[in-house]
Amino acid sequence: MPVPLKIYSLNELGNRKNNEDSIHPPAGEALLGNSLFLVCDGVGGNSKGEVASELACRHFNTYFNQNLSSEDLLNDDFINAGREWVIKHFDEYIAQHEGAEDMSTTLTLAYLKKKSIFVAWCGDSRIYLIRDGEIVFQSQDHSLVNELVKRGNITPEEALTHPHRNVITRSLQAKRPYSEIQTDEIFDIRDNDYLLLCSDGLLEKVTPTVLKVLLTQSDTGDLTEQFQEYCYQKTRDNYSMYLIKLINLNNEPIIIGETNKITISKSKLKLKSLWIGLIILSIVLIGVLAAYFLGFFNK
């Protein structure tokens, strides 16, 4: 059972006039008992990107709370229905605000299930699973440069500085046809893995090499501050993230909330009870034997 051990978050302006990124839970409000995390980046150049990202975070959360009665329901159909729910609220906002019809946002979503992590994304915000500094899962950007890389037209290194690197091919938007939200499920989760959801602004300065440095130091300290050191006043774009250090409890029960204490597992309780029983039995046997031998010598 993957659960958060530590949670780090950023939702920063960068060198922009307004912050079009949104995260859920809102910055400073995440608890170790949370299962749903989102990072969205309102599309620059389109009107009301900051509104689109905020509505996406808020209404995906509402949709999950109202409809996910069992994690077995979480699949592509559930996500598509969630998209319809969010777009309905986009339409309501657009009907009341002139010039908002082009608003859109990227999406990254992660839900911690009992035996896996369900992830969904649309656009060039990214999801990573990082183990010992190495990336073991990475979402594929829905962007022009990524398409060029896959076709062999440019190299991954050339994509980093390509003049059209910010052009995306999918986003969550009110206009039809709707972009497809891509999904995946991560089953190989180990203690001390890191799950990272981030907007592309963070990736301007936090490269895979930087990730390895930050996440493999013997004393990582406050990772929020360390990520800030790489990004503050250095990025062109807003930069946001959820970075979650995980522990896999293998379905052992936990107490969730602000205290985040882990209970003793049932297997450990059974083992403890067995030892207590053996000790009591041993004491009884010793008493019986002592009584027998005392009676024998007194004859």
Side-chain angles (χ1 to χ4, degrees), residues 89-160:
H89 290 87
F90 278 18
D91 290 337
E92 291 174 356
Y93 182 89
I94 290 168
Q96 299 175 20
H97 298 82
E98 185 178 354
E101 60 274 3
D102 290 330
M103 70 180 191
S104 66
T105 181
T106 70
L107 167 74
T108 59
L109 178 155
Y111 188 88
L112 306 183
K113 299 174 67 176
K114 290 180 181 178
K115 295 182 180 180
S116 64
I117 302 173
F118 183 91
V119 293
W121 69 97
C122 184
D124 63 351
S125 295
R126 200 171 291 176
I127 303 172
Y128 291 104
L129 186 72
I130 305 153
R131 179 175 302 142
D132 299 325
E134 302 297 329
I135 296 169
V136 295
F137 173 87
Q138 176 182 326
S139 59
Q140 294 299 309
D141 293 353
H142 302 131
S143 65
L144 176 60
V145 293
N146 193 43
E147 289 297 324
L148 294 174
V149 169
K150 289 193 290 185
R151 294 175 188 175
N153 298 116
I154 62 173
T155 67
E157 292 73 26
E158 290 172 333
L160 297 175

Side-chain angles (χ1 to χ4, degrees), residues 27-291:
E29 296 184 19
L31 300 174
L32 297 186
N34 288 127
S35 296
L36 178 65
F37 297 89
L38 298 106
V39 172
C40 295
D41 178 2
V43 177
N46 287 357
S47 60
K48 303 295 183 180
E50 70 281 3
V51 176
S53 64
E54 191 277 330
L55 289 176
C57 282
R58 175 153 47 102
H59 290 296
F60 260 116
N61 177 57
T62 301
Y63 179 77
F64 268 69
N65 287 338
Q66 293 182 1
N67 296 280
L68 194 64
S69 56
S70 167
E71 66 175 30
D72 294 335
L73 298 174
L74 189 50
N75 54 29
D76 285 353
D77 290 339
F78 185 89
I79 291 296
N80 288 334
R83 178 188 61 188
E84 299 292 333
W85 172 268
V86 171
I87 290 174
K88 180 187 77 169
H89 290 87
F90 278 18
D91 290 337
E92 291 174 356
Y93 182 89
I94 290 168
Q96 299 175 20
H97 298 82
E98 185 178 354
E101 60 274 3
D102 290 330
M103 70 180 191
S104 66
T105 181
T106 70
L107 167 74
T108 59
L109 178 155
Y111 188 88
L112 306 183
K113 299 174 67 176
K114 290 180 181 178
K115 295 182 180 180
S116 64
I117 302 173
F118 183 91
V119 293
W121 69 97
C122 184
D124 63 351
S125 295
R126 200 171 291 176
I127 303 172
Y128 291 104
L129 186 72
I130 305 153
R131 179 175 302 142
D132 299 325
E134 302 297 329
I135 296 169
V136 295
F137 173 87
Q138 176 182 326
S139 59
Q140 294 299 309
D141 293 353
H142 302 131
S143 65
L144 176 60
V145 293
N146 193 43
E147 289 297 324
L148 294 174
V149 169
K150 289 193 290 185
R151 294 175 188 175
N153 298 116
I154 62 173
T155 67
E157 292 73 26
E158 290 172 333
L160 297 175
T161 56
H162 195 279
H164 300 305
R165 62 187 176 276
N166 293 323
V167 177
I168 60 175
T169 56
R170 298 187 197 179
S171 67
L172 190 64
Q173 84 287 349
K175 284 188 173 181
R176 293 168 174 79
Y178 301 144
S179 293
E180 179 184 355
I181 297 175
Q182 191 169 347
T183 66
D184 208 335
E185 197 156 356
I186 307 169
F187 291 92
D188 180 15
I189 304 145
R190 305 179 190 178
D191 289 350
N192 301 315
D193 282 356
Y194 284 92
L195 177 67
L196 174 63
L197 289 74
C198 63
S199 62
D200 64 333
L202 187 87
L203 300 174
E204 288 182 28
K205 297 300 178 183
V206 181
T207 64
T209 301
V210 171
L211 279 174
K212 184 169 185 176
V213 171
L214 289 175
L215 302 183
T216 57
Q217 295 174 351
S218 57
D219 182 11
T220 54
D222 188 340
L223 284 172
T224 301
E225 292 183 359
Q226 294 179 40
F227 274 74
Q228 274 278 40
E229 288 178 7
Y230 277 92
C231 297
Y232 182 64
Q233 294 185 339
K234 300 173 186 175
T235 67
R236 296 177 300 107
D237 204 353
N238 314 135
Y239 57 96
S240 300
M241 74 170 190
Y242 259 113
L243 178 69
I244 305 158
K245 188 174 185 179
L246 297 165
I247 184 170
N248 195 342
L249 295 181
N250 296 318
N251 296 321
E252 294 180 359
I254 59 168
I255 297 174
I256 59 176
E258 292 189 55
T259 54
N260 302 297
K261 295 179 180 177
I262 300 175
T263 66
I264 300 173
S265 68
K266 292 180 181 179
S267 58
K268 291 179 181 178
L269 286 172
K270 289 179 180 178
L271 184 61
K272 185 176 181 180
S273 300
L274 178 61
W275 277 109
I276 293 172
L278 289 172
I279 291 170
I280 293 172
L281 181 60
S282 298
I283 293 171
V284 172
L285 287 173
I286 291 170
V288 171
L289 289 172

